[in-house]
Amino acid sequence: MNLPPFRLEDYLERYEFKARHLLGCSDSETWTVREILGDALLDLPLGYTPPNGTPALREEIAGLYRGISAEQVLVCAGAQEAIYLFMTTWLEPGDRVVVLTPCYESLFEIPRSLGCQVLSWALQPPWKPDLDALERLLPGARLLVMNFPHNPTGAQLTREEQSQIVEMCREHGTWIFSDEVYRESEHRPEDKLPAACDVYVRALSLGVMSKSFGLAGLRIGWLALQDKKLLARVASRKHYGSLCNSAPSELLATAALRNRTVVLERNRAILLANLALEVPAPIEQPRPMAGPVAFPRVDVPDVDAWCHDLAEKGILLVPGSLFGHPAHVRLGLGRRSYPEALEALRQAF
């Protein structure tokens, strides 16, 4: 297995923790330990946790789904470990894998590094999924990897489109790996889709505390699926990874999920307020359908150079070239600091 450099994370490592104004990050506004838990953390024993997650946390995660029990949830060290564990467990060299693109790099690069035949199901402006193109790609595919609400474009499926995709996969016997890390951050409640694992027996749903919940520092993600035998295989591989999760992180994640209505409503309010603000030229006004990220076009000759120049001035945007679209940038709309960062962007010209 020979993984290439993770270009997006390399870029963020270079600039994210130095820049004062973060306009390209993909998570929502975060919370403090006091806001989530008060002083209860002080009495927590700091021993090992169960490898698949504490029962209390898995119960809360199962509550996000319609037909998933706690025994059908595997808690991981962020979404990244969940992606790695599943793909290295399930995929074999030569497998045909269809991946929605643009995407978070590991969704594409891990199966490719495993020797799979990886085919791109490409979203193109205005970022509407082409189901006819998907139908042509699916015959013989062992796995479809998709992500809705979508990073980086903010695209979202309709319920009818989701049903059509599931029926196509059922017809071809194709499994679905559904990256749903932005589920619960839909701009309108009626746009929230059923989780893939609730509507298709051969589907896995990926979730995380980082994005909609704004708790990236907990490093808590999970897989939810109906097939307990496959879940056990993936869980066994975790013994070679994180082994178990951080006890404080699991406690905080459990508390946040118990109070998810408050957490999610606050973050959605921040997102919607930011979405109403005008973005300065040369960036086009973002119009994502769901989630706290957008992928607007930028009217400059060299977007990469422009982004690097802004980053050196303390303003972080993510160039679209890292997602295969060099005329765009990823814009993060989920933080309270967004208006101040927009003003810094205006002043930079």
PDB file of all heavy atoms in Angstrom, residues 97-120:
ATOM      1  N   VAL A  97     -14.355   0.318  -7.849  1.00  0.00           N
ATOM      2  CA  VAL A  97     -14.879   1.247  -6.851  1.00  0.00           C
ATOM      3  C   VAL A  97     -15.241   2.557  -7.553  1.00  0.00           C
ATOM      4  O   VAL A  97     -14.405   3.149  -8.246  1.00  0.00           O
ATOM      5  CB  VAL A  97     -13.847   1.516  -5.739  1.00  0.00           C
ATOM      6  CG1 VAL A  97     -14.407   2.501  -4.716  1.00  0.00           C
ATOM      7  CG2 VAL A  97     -13.444   0.208  -5.065  1.00  0.00           C
ATOM      8  N   VAL A  98     -16.472   2.993  -7.372  1.00  0.00           N
ATOM      9  CA  VAL A  98     -16.943   4.259  -7.947  1.00  0.00           C
ATOM     10  C   VAL A  98     -16.970   5.293  -6.829  1.00  0.00           C
ATOM     11  O   VAL A  98     -17.572   5.063  -5.775  1.00  0.00           O
ATOM     12  CB  VAL A  98     -18.339   4.099  -8.568  1.00  0.00           C
ATOM     13  CG1 VAL A  98     -18.840   5.438  -9.112  1.00  0.00           C
ATOM     14  CG2 VAL A  98     -18.322   3.040  -9.671  1.00  0.00           C
ATOM     15  N   VAL A  99     -16.297   6.429  -7.043  1.00  0.00           N
ATOM     16  CA  VAL A  99     -16.175   7.456  -6.006  1.00  0.00           C
ATOM     17  C   VAL A  99     -16.715   8.775  -6.537  1.00  0.00           C
ATOM     18  O   VAL A  99     -16.295   9.252  -7.601  1.00  0.00           O
ATOM     19  CB  VAL A  99     -14.712   7.634  -5.563  1.00  0.00           C
ATOM     20  CG1 VAL A  99     -14.607   8.697  -4.478  1.00  0.00           C
ATOM     21  CG2 VAL A  99     -14.129   6.312  -5.080  1.00  0.00           C
ATOM     22  N   LEU A 100     -17.640   9.371  -5.783  1.00  0.00           N
ATOM     23  CA  LEU A 100     -18.129  10.706  -6.106  1.00  0.00           C
ATOM     24  C   LEU A 100     -16.986  11.703  -5.937  1.00  0.00           C
ATOM     25  O   LEU A 100     -16.330  11.753  -4.894  1.00  0.00           O
ATOM     26  CB  LEU A 100     -19.276  11.077  -5.172  1.00  0.00           C
ATOM     27  CG  LEU A 100     -19.874  12.471  -5.353  1.00  0.00           C
ATOM     28  CD1 LEU A 100     -20.713  12.534  -6.622  1.00  0.00           C
ATOM     29  CD2 LEU A 100     -20.721  12.862  -4.139  1.00  0.00           C
ATOM     30  N   THR A 101     -16.742  12.505  -6.978  1.00  0.00           N
ATOM     31  CA  THR A 101     -15.701  13.521  -6.907  1.00  0.00           C
ATOM     32  C   THR A 101     -16.269  14.881  -7.322  1.00  0.00           C
ATOM     33  O   THR A 101     -17.231  14.925  -8.074  1.00  0.00           O
ATOM     34  CB  THR A 101     -14.510  13.172  -7.837  1.00  0.00           C
ATOM     35  OG1 THR A 101     -14.974  13.058  -9.175  1.00  0.00           O
ATOM     36  CG2 THR A 101     -13.841  11.882  -7.399  1.00  0.00           C
ATOM     37  N   PRO A 102     -15.672  15.997  -6.825  1.00  0.00           N
ATOM     38  CA  PRO A 102     -14.514  16.086  -5.941  1.00  0.00           C
ATOM     39  C   PRO A 102     -14.830  15.522  -4.565  1.00  0.00           C
ATOM     40  O   PRO A 102     -15.993  15.424  -4.179  1.00  0.00           O
ATOM     41  CB  PRO A 102     -14.230  17.586  -5.883  1.00  0.00           C
ATOM     42  CG  PRO A 102     -15.538  18.248  -6.194  1.00  0.00           C
ATOM     43  CD  PRO A 102     -16.220  17.345  -7.163  1.00  0.00           C
ATOM     44  N   CYS A 103     -13.772  15.152  -3.817  1.00  0.00           N
ATOM     45  CA  CYS A 103     -13.998  14.512  -2.531  1.00  0.00           C
ATOM     46  C   CYS A 103     -12.816  14.727  -1.609  1.00  0.00           C
ATOM     47  O   CYS A 103     -11.746  15.179  -2.025  1.00  0.00           O
ATOM     48  CB  CYS A 103     -14.257  13.016  -2.714  1.00  0.00           C
ATOM     49  SG  CYS A 103     -12.836  12.101  -3.355  1.00  0.00           S
ATOM     50  N   TYR A 104     -13.022  14.374  -0.358  1.00  0.00           N
ATOM     51  CA  TYR A 104     -11.926  14.304   0.609  1.00  0.00           C
ATOM     52  C   TYR A 104     -10.986  13.218   0.126  1.00  0.00           C
ATOM     53  O   TYR A 104     -11.408  12.110  -0.196  1.00  0.00           O
ATOM     54  CB  TYR A 104     -12.499  13.987   1.981  1.00  0.00           C
ATOM     55  CG  TYR A 104     -11.531  14.138   3.119  1.00  0.00           C
ATOM     56  CD1 TYR A 104     -10.926  15.365   3.382  1.00  0.00           C
ATOM     57  CD2 TYR A 104     -11.236  13.067   3.947  1.00  0.00           C
ATOM     58  CE1 TYR A 104     -10.038  15.514   4.434  1.00  0.00           C
ATOM     59  CE2 TYR A 104     -10.351  13.200   5.007  1.00  0.00           C
ATOM     60  CZ  TYR A 104      -9.757  14.425   5.246  1.00  0.00           C
ATOM     61  OH  TYR A 104      -8.876  14.568   6.292  1.00  0.00           O
ATOM     62  N   GLU A 105      -9.695  13.522   0.077  1.00  0.00           N
ATOM     63  CA  GLU A 105      -8.748  12.687  -0.668  1.00  0.00           C
ATOM     64  C   GLU A 105      -8.737  11.217  -0.263  1.00  0.00           C
ATOM     65  O   GLU A 105      -8.590  10.325  -1.102  1.00  0.00           O
ATOM     66  CB  GLU A 105      -7.332  13.255  -0.534  1.00  0.00           C
ATOM     67  CG  GLU A 105      -7.053  14.417  -1.478  1.00  0.00           C
ATOM     68  CD  GLU A 105      -5.723  15.063  -1.201  1.00  0.00           C
ATOM     69  OE1 GLU A 105      -4.698  14.529  -1.657  1.00  0.00           O
ATOM     70  OE2 GLU A 105      -5.698  16.103  -0.511  1.00  0.00           O
ATOM     71  N   SER A 106      -8.875  10.929   1.012  1.00  0.00           N
ATOM     72  CA  SER A 106      -8.762   9.540   1.445  1.00  0.00           C
ATOM     73  C   SER A 106      -9.866   8.670   0.862  1.00  0.00           C
ATOM     74  O   SER A 106      -9.674   7.464   0.678  1.00  0.00           O
ATOM     75  CB  SER A 106      -8.762   9.441   2.969  1.00  0.00           C
ATOM     76  OG  SER A 106      -9.911  10.044   3.518  1.00  0.00           O
ATOM     77  N   LEU A 107     -11.009   9.252   0.539  1.00  0.00           N
ATOM     78  CA  LEU A 107     -12.101   8.474  -0.050  1.00  0.00           C
ATOM     79  C   LEU A 107     -11.718   7.922  -1.416  1.00  0.00           C
ATOM     80  O   LEU A 107     -12.243   6.891  -1.852  1.00  0.00           O
ATOM     81  CB  LEU A 107     -13.364   9.335  -0.168  1.00  0.00           C
ATOM     82  CG  LEU A 107     -13.974   9.830   1.141  1.00  0.00           C
ATOM     83  CD1 LEU A 107     -15.111  10.800   0.852  1.00  0.00           C
ATOM     84  CD2 LEU A 107     -14.464   8.669   1.995  1.00  0.00           C
ATOM     85  N   PHE A 108     -10.812   8.592  -2.096  1.00  0.00           N
ATOM     86  CA  PHE A 108     -10.368   8.191  -3.436  1.00  0.00           C
ATOM     87  C   PHE A 108      -9.018   7.476  -3.390  1.00  0.00           C
ATOM     88  O   PHE A 108      -8.821   6.448  -4.030  1.00  0.00           O
ATOM     89  CB  PHE A 108     -10.277   9.431  -4.326  1.00  0.00           C
ATOM     90  CG  PHE A 108     -10.082   9.141  -5.784  1.00  0.00           C
ATOM     91  CD1 PHE A 108     -11.171   9.032  -6.631  1.00  0.00           C
ATOM     92  CD2 PHE A 108      -8.811   8.992  -6.328  1.00  0.00           C
ATOM     93  CE1 PHE A 108     -11.001   8.772  -7.988  1.00  0.00           C
ATOM     94  CE2 PHE A 108      -8.624   8.729  -7.667  1.00  0.00           C
ATOM     95  CZ  PHE A 108      -9.735   8.623  -8.505  1.00  0.00           C
ATOM     96  N   GLU A 109      -8.103   8.040  -2.602  1.00  0.00           N
ATOM     97  CA  GLU A 109      -6.726   7.558  -2.642  1.00  0.00           C
ATOM     98  C   GLU A 109      -6.525   6.234  -1.912  1.00  0.00           C
ATOM     99  O   GLU A 109      -5.672   5.439  -2.304  1.00  0.00           O
ATOM    100  CB  GLU A 109      -5.779   8.613  -2.074  1.00  0.00           C
ATOM    101  CG  GLU A 109      -5.679   9.888  -2.911  1.00  0.00           C
ATOM    102  CD  GLU A 109      -5.047   9.665  -4.277  1.00  0.00           C
ATOM    103  OE1 GLU A 109      -4.551   8.551  -4.554  1.00  0.00           O
ATOM    104  OE2 GLU A 109      -5.043  10.612  -5.077  1.00  0.00           O
ATOM    105  N   ILE A 110      -7.263   5.980  -0.849  1.00  0.00           N
ATOM    106  CA  ILE A 110      -7.081   4.700  -0.158  1.00  0.00           C
ATOM    107  C   ILE A 110      -7.472   3.529  -1.045  1.00  0.00           C
ATOM    108  O   ILE A 110      -6.679   2.591  -1.201  1.00  0.00           O
ATOM    109  CB  ILE A 110      -7.819   4.683   1.200  1.00  0.00           C
ATOM    110  CG1 ILE A 110      -7.139   5.655   2.169  1.00  0.00           C
ATOM    111  CG2 ILE A 110      -7.823   3.268   1.785  1.00  0.00           C
ATOM    112  CD1 ILE A 110      -7.830   5.776   3.512  1.00  0.00           C
ATOM    113  N   PRO A 111      -8.654   3.533  -1.671  1.00  0.00           N
ATOM    114  CA  PRO A 111      -8.933   2.396  -2.570  1.00  0.00           C
ATOM    115  C   PRO A 111      -7.956   2.304  -3.732  1.00  0.00           C
ATOM    116  O   PRO A 111      -7.577   1.197  -4.150  1.00  0.00           O
ATOM    117  CB  PRO A 111     -10.368   2.645  -3.040  1.00  0.00           C
ATOM    118  CG  PRO A 111     -10.703   4.029  -2.669  1.00  0.00           C
ATOM    119  CD  PRO A 111      -9.838   4.404  -1.524  1.00  0.00           C
ATOM    120  N   ARG A 112      -7.508   3.445  -4.260  1.00  0.00           N
ATOM    121  CA  ARG A 112      -6.543   3.387  -5.349  1.00  0.00           C
ATOM    122  C   ARG A 112      -5.223   2.789  -4.875  1.00  0.00           C
ATOM    123  O   ARG A 112      -4.608   1.975  -5.581  1.00  0.00           O
ATOM    124  CB  ARG A 112      -6.312   4.789  -5.932  1.00  0.00           C
ATOM    125  CG  ARG A 112      -5.431   4.753  -7.177  1.00  0.00           C
ATOM    126  CD  ARG A 112      -5.547   6.009  -7.994  1.00  0.00           C
ATOM    127  NE  ARG A 112      -4.967   7.175  -7.359  1.00  0.00           N
ATOM    128  CZ  ARG A 112      -4.811   8.353  -7.946  1.00  0.00           C
ATOM    129  NH1 ARG A 112      -5.234   8.522  -9.193  1.00  0.00           N
ATOM    130  NH2 ARG A 112      -4.276   9.371  -7.317  1.00  0.00           N
ATOM    131  N   SER A 113      -4.792   3.133  -3.666  1.00  0.00           N
ATOM    132  CA  SER A 113      -3.539   2.597  -3.150  1.00  0.00           C
ATOM    133  C   SER A 113      -3.639   1.105  -2.855  1.00  0.00           C
ATOM    134  O   SER A 113      -2.617   0.412  -2.792  1.00  0.00           O
ATOM    135  CB  SER A 113      -3.131   3.341  -1.878  1.00  0.00           C
ATOM    136  OG  SER A 113      -3.940   2.961  -0.779  1.00  0.00           O
ATOM    137  N   LEU A 114      -4.854   0.604  -2.668  1.00  0.00           N
ATOM    138  CA  LEU A 114      -5.061  -0.823  -2.430  1.00  0.00           C
ATOM    139  C   LEU A 114      -5.081  -1.634  -3.724  1.00  0.00           C
ATOM    140  O   LEU A 114      -5.249  -2.850  -3.691  1.00  0.00           O
ATOM    141  CB  LEU A 114      -6.374  -1.033  -1.671  1.00  0.00           C
ATOM    142  CG  LEU A 114      -6.386  -0.548  -0.219  1.00  0.00           C
ATOM    143  CD1 LEU A 114      -7.812  -0.534   0.323  1.00  0.00           C
ATOM    144  CD2 LEU A 114      -5.494  -1.419   0.653  1.00  0.00           C
ATOM    145  N   GLY A 115      -4.930  -0.962  -4.856  1.00  0.00           N
ATOM    146  CA  GLY A 115      -4.929  -1.644  -6.139  1.00  0.00           C
ATOM    147  C   GLY A 115      -6.299  -1.815  -6.752  1.00  0.00           C
ATOM    148  O   GLY A 115      -6.486  -2.632  -7.664  1.00  0.00           O
ATOM    149  N   CYS A 116      -7.264  -1.044  -6.273  1.00  0.00           N
ATOM    150  CA  CYS A 116      -8.617  -1.104  -6.842  1.00  0.00           C
ATOM    151  C   CYS A 116      -8.683  -0.312  -8.143  1.00  0.00           C
ATOM    152  O   CYS A 116      -7.875   0.595  -8.391  1.00  0.00           O
ATOM    153  CB  CYS A 116      -9.633  -0.533  -5.857  1.00  0.00           C
ATOM    154  SG  CYS A 116      -9.747  -1.438  -4.297  1.00  0.00           S
ATOM    155  N   GLN A 117      -9.651  -0.655  -8.955  1.00  0.00           N
ATOM    156  CA  GLN A 117      -9.957   0.128 -10.153  1.00  0.00           C
ATOM    157  C   GLN A 117     -10.925   1.231  -9.717  1.00  0.00           C
ATOM    158  O   GLN A 117     -12.108   0.985  -9.499  1.00  0.00           O
ATOM    159  CB  GLN A 117     -10.612  -0.756 -11.221  1.00  0.00           C
ATOM    160  CG  GLN A 117     -10.994  -0.008 -12.489  1.00  0.00           C
ATOM    161  CD  GLN A 117     -11.890  -0.838 -13.410  1.00  0.00           C
ATOM    162  OE1 GLN A 117     -12.333  -1.927 -13.040  1.00  0.00           O
ATOM    163  NE2 GLN A 117     -12.155  -0.313 -14.586  1.00  0.00           N
ATOM    164  N   VAL A 118     -10.416   2.435  -9.545  1.00  0.00           N
ATOM    165  CA  VAL A 118     -11.212   3.528  -8.992  1.00  0.00           C
ATOM    166  C   VAL A 118     -11.715   4.423 -10.126  1.00  0.00           C
ATOM    167  O   VAL A 118     -10.919   4.962 -10.906  1.00  0.00           O
ATOM    168  CB  VAL A 118     -10.393   4.358  -7.978  1.00  0.00           C
ATOM    169  CG1 VAL A 118     -11.259   5.449  -7.361  1.00  0.00           C
ATOM    170  CG2 VAL A 118      -9.837   3.451  -6.884  1.00  0.00           C
ATOM    171  N   LEU A 119     -13.026   4.567 -10.192  1.00  0.00           N
ATOM    172  CA  LEU A 119     -13.667   5.360 -11.236  1.00  0.00           C
ATOM    173  C   LEU A 119     -14.328   6.583 -10.607  1.00  0.00           C
ATOM    174  O   LEU A 119     -14.967   6.492  -9.551  1.00  0.00           O
ATOM    175  CB  LEU A 119     -14.720   4.533 -11.967  1.00  0.00           C
ATOM    176  CG  LEU A 119     -14.235   3.215 -12.579  1.00  0.00           C
ATOM    177  CD1 LEU A 119     -15.409   2.446 -13.181  1.00  0.00           C
ATOM    178  CD2 LEU A 119     -13.169   3.472 -13.631  1.00  0.00           C
ATOM    179  N   SER A 120     -14.188   7.730 -11.251  1.00  0.00           N
ATOM    180  CA  SER A 120     -14.732   8.976 -10.730  1.00  0.00           C
ATOM    181  C   SER A 120     -16.149   9.201 -11.237  1.00  0.00           C
ATOM    182  O   SER A 120     -16.396   9.203 -12.450  1.00  0.00           O
ATOM    183  CB  SER A 120     -13.850  10.160 -11.170  1.00  0.00           C
ATOM    184  OG  SER A 120     -14.458  11.389 -10.853  1.00  0.00           O
TER     185      SER A 120
END
